[in-house]
Amino acid sequence: MPVFATRQPTYEEVLEARAGRQRMVREHLATLTDDDLARLRANPWAPQRTRTTLSCLRTILDEEWEHQRYAVRDLDLLEARSVAEGQPTNMQKG
């Protein structure tokens, strides 16, 4: 998806783009060796400090997990609110 899109993407387009990004990351992770994971990198927030590639990946995956937790929590709250207000939800429309 272009960065400077002139319209808001559809939900399906967002899911497709996300699936593509996940596939790219999964494919890249499958190529990493133990040496790659042990390689030291400069910390972007404190360049005088180093971190291993594995440590960086753990940070990224932890962030992804936390975003997932909050998204599910918020979607559950919206679903419960819709049910309480008697509005059909996506699950009930099918």
Side-chain angles (χ1 to χ4, degrees):
M1 297 184 62
V3 174
F4 301 106
T6 57
R7 66 173 180 78
Q8 186 170 353
T10 65
Y11 183 65
E12 289 76 21
E13 290 170 329
V14 170
L15 290 178
E16 182 180 336
R18 179 162 171 73
R21 301 309 187 283
Q22 288 175 316
R23 187 173 36 262
M24 286 172 36
V25 170
R26 195 175 302 116
E27 289 170 359
H28 179 69
L29 290 176
T31 69
L32 296 176
T33 66
D34 289 344
D35 288 340
D36 293 329
L37 294 173
R39 187 169 294 129
L40 292 176
R41 308 282 183 185
N43 183 324
W45 308 116
Q48 70 279 11
R49 298 178 137 180
T50 58
R51 297 181 60 153
T52 64
T53 301
L54 179 59
S55 175
C56 295
L57 286 172
R58 283 185 177 143
T59 299
I60 292 166
L61 295 173
D62 284 347
E63 287 292 320
E64 178 69 14
W65 176 253
E66 291 301 323
H67 283 288
Q68 170 70 18
R69 285 183 54 225
Y70 284 111
V72 169
R73 179 206 63 188
D74 293 346
L75 290 171
D76 286 347
L77 288 172
L78 290 171
E79 177 98 11
R81 186 177 303 150
S82 292
V83 169
E85 294 172 358
Q87 299 173 4
T89 65
N90 286 336
M91 295 177 79
Q92 294 170 329
K93 289 179 185 177

